[in-house]
Amino acid sequence: MSDHAEVLDTSTGLDSRKLAIWTFIGSECMFFASLISNYLVHKEQWMSGPGPFPHEAWTDPATGKVLEPIIEVPLVTVGTALLLFSSLFIVLALYGAQRGRRGMMLGWLGATIMCGLFFVGMQVYEFTHFVHKGLTLQRNLFGASFFTLTGFHGTHVTIGVIWLITMFILALRGQLTPERSLKLEMAALYWHFVDVVWIIIFPVVYLIK
Amino acid sequence: MATTVLDQHRVHAAHEEKTGLWSWITTVDHKRIGVLYGATAFFFFLLGGLEALLIRIQLAKPDNNFLSPEAYNQLFTMHGTSMIFLAVMPLSAMFFNYMIPLLIGARDVAFPRLNAFSYWVFLLGGLFLNAGFLFGAAPDQGWYGYANLTSRQFSPGANVDFWNMGLQVLGVSSLAAAVNFFVTVINMRAKGMTMMRMPMFVWMSFITQVLLLLAFPVLAVALILLMFDRFFGTNFFVPAGGGDPLLWQHFFWIFGHPEVYILVLPSFGIVSEVLPVFSRKPLFGYAAMVFSGVFIAFLGFGVWAHHMFATGMGPFADTFFSLATMLIAIPTGVKIFNWLGTMWGGSIQYKTPMYFSIGFIAMFIIGGLSGVMHASPPADTQQNDTYFIVAHFHYVLFGGSIFALTSGAYYWWPKMFGRLLDERLGKLHFWLMLIGFNLTFFPMHFVGLNGMPRRTWTYPAELGFETLNQLETAGAFVLFLAFSVFLVNIFKTWRGPRNAPADPWNGATLEWAIPSPPPEWNFAEAPVVQGRDPLWETKRERGGRLPEPSPGTGAGIHIPNPSYWPLITAVGVAAIFAAIMLSHKTGPWGIIVAVSILFLGVFNWVFEKGYSEFTTPAHGGH
Amino acid sequence: MPERTAAARRPARLVPFLLLLALVAGCSPERYPQTALLPLSDYARIGDHVQDQTFYWALGVFVLVEGALLYAIFRFRGRPDDPEPPQIHGNTTIEIIWTLIPALILAAIAVPTVKGIFETNASPTGDVLKIEVIGHQWWWEFRYPDLNVTTANELHVPVGRTVELLQNSADVVHSFWPPRFAGKRDVFPGRQTRIWFKADSAGLFPGQCAEFCGIQHARMAFQVRASSPAEYDAWAAHMRTLGPKPAAAAPRGDSVKTASAGGTVQGPKVPAQGPQAKADSATPSSQDPEYAKGEQLFKMKGCIGCHSLQAVDAPKGMIGPNLATVGSRAYIAAGWLRNTDENLEHWIREPQTVKKGVLMPNLGVTAEEAKALRAYLRAHQ
């Protein structure tokens, strides 16, 4: 499709594809709102099932034993920071794409992808770590809600990474010209959305006790 | 595939079209997709009607054994699910598809291939849902699937899974279409057509898309959580594992209540098109109609727990939802009065579309009033889960939506198919439908308040329900007759010549300015609009009816290319859910294959050649 | 063709009138034992009062609006060649009026509604009889904690005294609905719901589960037996005698001691009231040889695994209903099948035929064995 940077012959002057991404994002907000509500309803249930998995250091009143929190905030904080920075990186990549600055576009796009890959890797590590410790989908509702919420978010990130890699390949082939930069803009919008959802999930799941 | 630029060498006559199965499989033309939706939806509607007829036969006698309890439970589940998701919604979609671009003066929707994708996913979802019948395991847990009956423990068979997966597939279809129509309405209106000059059908459909976008994700999450319970051992809705069945009810009805407005708002729009044309005066109170529609949609998200008054949520929750529900009656009433105001002082032309639209008003009033009666929890705890509720929602969904959709069918039939449906058969259809409908559903108000609960495969003779149930079954057969007359009408006129005029009804909107049926490109020249009811304006300026329009040659007009990638992608979507259902046999491999098909479809779609030079087909040819 | 359509309309106009006639004939609530329109308790009257109010407003609106529609249909008929009518786009004053009037009507409905909500949600006061209701697939368990007594499918309540029903489910979501006494309240696994009512009339009144709960949802009924206070007390006293040992069926009229009176009271003769108030059967006796055979079979066939025969200190969590008083219940199979000898035998022999999907399997009971079991169970009153 030909992309015009100037005002298009549409009722709003905006490209329909950009409107479509925004509309889709609006719908996805409800999707994540529902998953987050579900998590909030069930997050107190880390006690049920054998071997509680507390959010923070917790003393078992029965045995007096102190249990370490299962959540590793430092690691996830790094992942979060990288995801946040990746939104900046993709803005820079888009800037380069819109101005035909190939090096800038490729460099920052690559950086975005690396951040995304690190984030997904961190989630995979975290999930395996939890399962290793015994907190699974089935163990209790905290586990179920946690994995469902962060799992779906992680899937969205993964799809975003695949999308960005595709953009990267297009860019390498010289097909991401300024006239066609809308493709990257759409990917960037999606990426920002995925980031914003994480900005909500991170405090709700990891920070708030 | 190269861009199809219609030039002098390939002159299309107005009525020539590509034929053959392949042209239908690869079509991205909104009109063809509309016809596909309509035909498929009508088929499922008849199937749902057959299911209803079987239910009515079983209920005609107490302690009847025409149907086993399992068969009955499957039939009422499938009847409800089919009518809502496979009949009313896609019948509305038929009109979204065919008419929205014409009403706003566009050549197609914003995303033609996404449009085709929506249809194919719908078809596959409908087949998925019904596939349960083939395995003797059709869904049997009610259309609303309350937990924890739907847990593995209490529903060990695949019935619930066919329902769950089928609905998730259908959800994808609805969401894709909603994005498409939302953008189309926002971005592809003719020059001069501001939002407040749009035809009312476009407005109501637009609001419906917003509802779809916001409500379906909530259903998706509920279904996903249920799927996790049943396939991956979670306990979201299993009390033994700490879950709460009431959570399902909240999630479901947060979707479910906006869903009923999704079902009825397009019908409001259709009636708002038909009444002015056949009263020969404009819609009364256009702005109020727009704002009441918006208000209904907005409020519709705040009333969901009125479906849960029997669960004992406490007086404050009960009061909030009760008052919110009563509030919604106000904009609804405004609409009814505006329709009356449209007819008032008019010069009413009694053609079949008008009959059905008036029938809609008469029936919807009854349904709306019984709805207000449910709004009050102390009364509702007697009415809920009885046939009184069944009466209510059939009055608004059948007396409402189906009557309106039928009105739209008669109204737009000449435009879509180039033939007028027979008037006499149409009126016979109307009277049989009105009588049959009331005979079937009016007694339900009484039998419900007198003690007959819903979803009961039989009842004892002592409770006295037999007489009214017999009446209702008789009514169902009258309805069967009514639809037979409709089918006869369709077949009879199909064999006749395709010679309907462009503007048989003296219409007010843009679709009547182009030939019946329209050429592939709809408008030879992009229309420019200066007010509401643009065609009446034009006819007034030119002092009378317009001459028959010529379709034009389509020269120089870019048409979206046909494509089969939407179908492949749709197959990928359905395959993923089928693979999850079969995951105990195929492990993760089925899912991997399905996802691969999906990726194959998506990548080829996105990078399809021939779409690189395609411009948004908004205005004019260039 | 106006004449033709007018002619077609005339006979058609009769039909709604005939319909109305048929409905008026068929809809008087007295003909329906399970009607919600003839309340017999204070609680049910609250809902009935609110419903009346909404109904009369709805009826008024119906007559006015449908009337206006009918008027418009006939008054504004036009011919194709008629001149264009005045192109009116709206009328702000009228539109405001017809927005405000419905709002006022709704406010008028809201007031009794909110009042009714708070009244029905309030805790009952006074000498309240607490009864636990537990929904099972597909029968109802009733426990009287003050009496330490359990029964099934027939809920005994005293007239003139408030009962509070504390409700739960043993499996899926059901809904307890005794329409003459109360609007329905769902019952859940894992959470308690409650209703209360004070019956003001004696008799036997049907009720039913009102939330789809699986294959035999339709056959999950129950009966409410409302008795005078004396009769209720006698019933309660009698129930207290149905302890762990299978009680030899005492002949009717035996004296029993009541704890409070400290003396003897004549045993009850439950009066027949309403349709099928009592089981049709011959007087049972533990001397009947079939009784002993039945007692043996009850253990051998495994019935004892799912059903308890003691009302006092009955074990919790049984899959099947308590049978301590099954012999005298008006209905069996959860409140809908008349408790005749024939039906009871059939139910024992072929539960899957009587109520397909019920958790009671066909146990290969012969006709002879069924007779014996029936005699044994009939003696349990």
Side-chain angles (χ1 to χ4, degrees), chain C residues 248-319:
Chain C
R252 276 5 216 121
D254 238 24
S255 26
V256 292
K257 279 185 165 54
T258 57
S260 52
T264 55
V265 176
Q266 277 296 84
K269 188 161 174 54
V270 179
Q273 271 182 15
Q276 206 50 39
K278 198 173 154 359
D280 294 329
S281 59
T283 312
S285 163
S286 57
Q287 270 66 52
D288 185 344
E290 291 284 359
Y291 177 97
K293 193 163 155 222
E295 185 175 12
Q296 216 190 11
L297 282 165
F298 193 84
K299 296 194 188 91
M300 267 175 46
K301 287 288 183 186
C303 316
I304 195 122
C306 297
H307 294 279
S308 171
L309 288 166
Q310 62 191 69
V312 180
D313 276 333
K316 291 201 167 147
M318 300 296 278
I319 296 176

Side-chain angles (χ1 to χ4, degrees), chain B residues 507-553:
Chain B
T509 39
L510 292 175
E511 75 271 32
W512 307 108
I514 54 180
S516 300
E520 197 179 347
W521 52 87
N522 300 342
F523 298 92
E525 276 175 24
V528 176
V529 147
Q530 271 143 3
R532 295 171 199 154
D533 306 324
L535 208 63
W536 277 352
E537 279 305 310
T538 310
K539 283 185 264 191
R540 231 168 254 139
E541 280 165 20
R542 305 221 187 140
R545 302 290 285 263
L546 299 177
E548 277 298 306
S550 104
T553 59

Side-chain angles (χ1 to χ4, degrees), chain A residues 123-195:
Chain A
Q123 288 255 265
V124 169
Y125 165 77
E126 193 189 31
F127 282 22
T128 3
H129 174 65
F130 281 12
V131 170
H132 209 61
K133 279 262 176 87
L135 180 66
T136 58
L137 252 186
Q138 295 83 5
R139 172 71 103 208
N140 58 36
L141 280 172
F142 161 68
S145 308
F146 171 84
F147 282 114
T148 308
L149 174 60
T150 53
F152 268 99
H153 177 261
T155 310
H156 279 73
V157 176
T158 308
I159 292 172
V161 169
I162 295 174
W163 194 344
L164 290 177
I165 292 176
T166 313
M167 292 294 111
F168 191 82
I169 296 172
L170 278 183
L172 275 177
R173 291 198 188 155
Q175 287 172 348
L176 216 50
T177 58
E179 298 77 45
R180 296 205 180 132
S181 61
L182 184 76
K183 284 194 172 76
L184 184 60
E185 192 175 357
M186 285 165 66
L189 278 169
Y190 176 79
W191 191 255
H192 291 312
F193 166 69
V194 157
D195 193 13

Side-chain angles (χ1 to χ4, degrees), chain C residues 110-301:
Chain C
V111 170
T113 294
V114 176
K115 190 156 169 285
I117 291 172
F118 278 88
E119 275 174 12
T120 52
N121 272 276
S123 284
T125 51
D127 178 26
V128 174
L129 173 64
K130 283 188 167 44
I131 306 175
E132 289 167 12
V133 174
I134 299 131
H136 296 253
Q137 280 180 320
W138 294 276
W139 58 278
W140 294 97
E141 181 179 350
F142 303 118
R143 296 183 159 260
Y144 294 73
D146 296 340
L147 300 173
N148 191 19
V149 143
T150 302
T151 185
N153 297 326
E154 220 172 79
L155 178 72
H156 288 246
V157 299
V159 167
R161 185 176 169 204
T162 304
V163 301
E164 187 178 19
L165 303 180
L166 304 164
Q167 301 172 325
N168 251 299
S169 168
D171 37 46
V172 298
V173 180
H174 301 275
S175 192
F176 186 74
W177 186 36
R180 304 301 297 268
F181 299 107
K184 61 191 66 70
R185 181 67 84 226
D186 290 356
V187 313
F188 292 90
R191 73 167 56 214
Q192 191 184 73
T193 54
R194 66 176 182 93
I195 53 171
W196 52 265
F197 62 85
K198 180 164 39 169
D200 54 39
S201 269
L204 189 68
F205 304 97
Q208 213 169 331
C209 175
E211 183 58 66
F212 182 69
C213 53
I215 187 172
Q216 285 295 358
H217 164 64
R219 297 300 203 193
M220 189 174 158
F222 60 91
Q223 303 286 329
V224 179
R225 190 183 286 281
S227 323
S228 71
E231 281 161 5
Y232 173 80
D233 287 340
W235 171 82
H238 170 65
M239 291 301 283
R240 293 275 317 148
T241 67
L242 303 177
K245 283 213 203 76
R252 276 5 216 121
D254 238 24
S255 26
V256 292
K257 279 185 165 54
T258 57
S260 52
T264 55
V265 176
Q266 277 296 84
K269 188 161 174 54
V270 179
Q273 271 182 15
Q276 206 50 39
K278 198 173 154 359
D280 294 329
S281 59
T283 312
S285 163
S286 57
Q287 270 66 52
D288 185 344
E290 291 284 359
Y291 177 97
K293 193 163 155 222
E295 185 175 12
Q296 216 190 11
L297 282 165
F298 193 84
K299 296 194 188 91
M300 267 175 46
K301 287 288 183 186

